[in-house]
């Protein structure tokens, strides 16, 4: 009888040893959080993601910074966050873009046969009504964000899982559009990406780059001083900087501009459906990152002046280019304008030819500013009355998302721009 006991003990030890060394359970955690101000935190975006359905639909492969499934408990301190989870307080649980992003990525990995080996860790960070200079290295929000990266890394390490941060989603800029606390937004966003990548690598020891997946804010008319007829407009420098980084800097890829979406009361914050749509766009861009494909989106590549005509060639992810006045309410000249140094609009006609926009002016546009989506009704935002344009590609023929029983095509819309032509 004593021998049987020893056999049983040895059997249990062997089973436990084999389980602890079962390489079939080895997983790779891809941490892809979102950071910024109120849009990153989903402020005012009514929650449309059912968390129980979410974890089931993603086969339990999407987790929080704690590598658990307790979504919806964001607060500005770790203690408050812990307390909200303790009492199940989700009264300020908003829709986040990263929920839609995660759904796209888990579907992608499942189709590639990697669904059981990949975990997506995602969570929001940042602080509302805050400029970029107050969200960078050393700030309270930044420190908390890094702490949560560290927490996720520690949890993964305890489980014997690999862990990297391939990218983060950026949603910040509205505050700097209005108040312009930033002296050089483009440079500060580049610096943020560099600092964050360095700090992440110190935690994870990864060699892979940490790419910034940037949206574009189009919140121009929230500024009471906004005047689209003027040659010099301070409000465009934030979205212009974001577009240029997406187009020209390999450490940045684009998700989408926000003007084609619906805003709460047509003001600052996109709503829950728009968060889901934007998240799906971010997910598609991250897939292209994984596949080493371009994620510039629909951006202007070159500007040429010939007499009284401006030719703009575009990077087009999916031809053909179209003017869509159904998804976005028609803007004058489809959103294009040309303003000279005397504050006069000199645009006459806009033509679309292949991947080129031809703008015919009433006089030479030399040194004038050619613009897109720099317009809109004062203090309004979104596809109806805000700064907007009607130019998009045809990606929606291949990709769409169903939200609350309605299909939304995932087209690439042209990024807002404001460029001097010479």
């Amino acid at each position: 009888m004593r021998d049987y006991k020893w056999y049983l003990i040895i059997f249990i030890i062997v089973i436990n040893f084999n389980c602890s060394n079962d390489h079939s359970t080895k997983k790779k955690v891809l941490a892809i959080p979102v950071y910024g101000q109120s849009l990153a935190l989903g402020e005012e975006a009514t929650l449309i993601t059912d968390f129980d359905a979410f974890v089931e639909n993603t086969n339990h492969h999407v987790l929080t910074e704690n590598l658990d499934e307790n979504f919806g408990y964001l607060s500005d301190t770790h203690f408050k966050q812990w307390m909200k989870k303790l009492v199940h307080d989700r009264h300020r649980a908003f829709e986040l873009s990263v929920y839609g992003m995660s759904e796209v990525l888990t579907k992608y990995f499942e189709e590639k046969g990697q669904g059981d080996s990949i975990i997506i860790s995602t969570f929001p960070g940042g602080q509302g009504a805050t400029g970029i200079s107050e969200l960078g290295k050393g700030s309270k929000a930044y420190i908390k964000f890094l702490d949560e990266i560290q927490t996720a890394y520690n949890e993964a390490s305890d489980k014997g899982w690999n862990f990297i941060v391939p990218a983060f989603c950026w949603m910040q800029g509205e505050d700097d559009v209005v108040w312009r606390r930033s002296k050089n937004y483009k440079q500060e966003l580049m610096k943020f990406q560099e600092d964050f990548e360095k700090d992440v690598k110190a935690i994870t020891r990864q060699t892979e780059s940490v790419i910034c997946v940037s949206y574009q804010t189009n919140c121009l008319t929230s500024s009471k001083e906004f005047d689209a007829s003027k040659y010099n407009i301070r409000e465009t420098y934030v979205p212009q900087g974001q577009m240029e980084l997406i187009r020209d800097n390999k450490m940045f890829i684009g998700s989408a501009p926000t003007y084609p979406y619906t805003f709460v009361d047509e003001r600052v914050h996109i709503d829950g459906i728009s968060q889901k749509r934007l998240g799906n766009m971010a997910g598609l861009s991250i897939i292209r990152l994984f596949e080493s494909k371009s994620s510039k989106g629909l951006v202007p590549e070159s500007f040429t002046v010939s007499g009284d005509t401006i030719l703009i060639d575009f990077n087009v992810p999916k031809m053909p280019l179209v003017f869509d006045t159904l998804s976005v309410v028609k803007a004058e000249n489809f959103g294009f304008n040309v303003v000279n140094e005397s504050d006069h609009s000199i645009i006459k006609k806009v033509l679309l030819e292949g991947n080129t926009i031809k703008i015919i002016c009433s006089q030479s546009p030399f040194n004038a500013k050619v613009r897109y989506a720099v317009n809109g009704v004062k203090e309004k935002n979104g596809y109806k009355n805000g700064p907007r344009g009607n130019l998009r590609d045809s990606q929606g023929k291949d990709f769409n998302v169903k939200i609350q029983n309605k299909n939304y095509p995932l087209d690439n819309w042209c990024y807002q721009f404001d460029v001097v032509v010479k």
Side-chain angles (χ1 to χ4, degrees), residues 397-413:
K397 292 180 179 179
D398 299 326
F399 299 100
N400 63 81
V401 59
K402 190 172 187 178
I403 307 172
Q404 296 182 340
N405 297 317
K406 181 178 178 179
N407 283 315
Y408 294 88
L410 297 174
D411 297 300
N412 290 290
W413 288 83

Side-chain angles (χ1 to χ4, degrees), residues 248-275:
D248 304 329
N249 191 312
K250 66 180 182 179
M251 303 308 294
F252 289 77
I253 61 177
S255 54
T258 56
Y259 68 80
Y261 300 142
T262 45
F263 284 66
V264 178
D265 298 326
E266 292 189 87
R267 292 186 63 79
V268 178
H269 301 124
I270 59 174
D271 61 18
I273 290 174
S274 297
Q275 287 277 356

Side-chain angles (χ1 to χ4, degrees), residues 4 39 43-44 89 110 119 161 211 238 369 375 400:
Y4 284 116
L39 269 72
E43 194 73 32
E44 288 193 286
D89 177 10
E110 286 174 0
I119 294 290
W161 295 348
I211 302 298
V238 172
K369 288 187 176 180
N375 48 41
N400 63 81

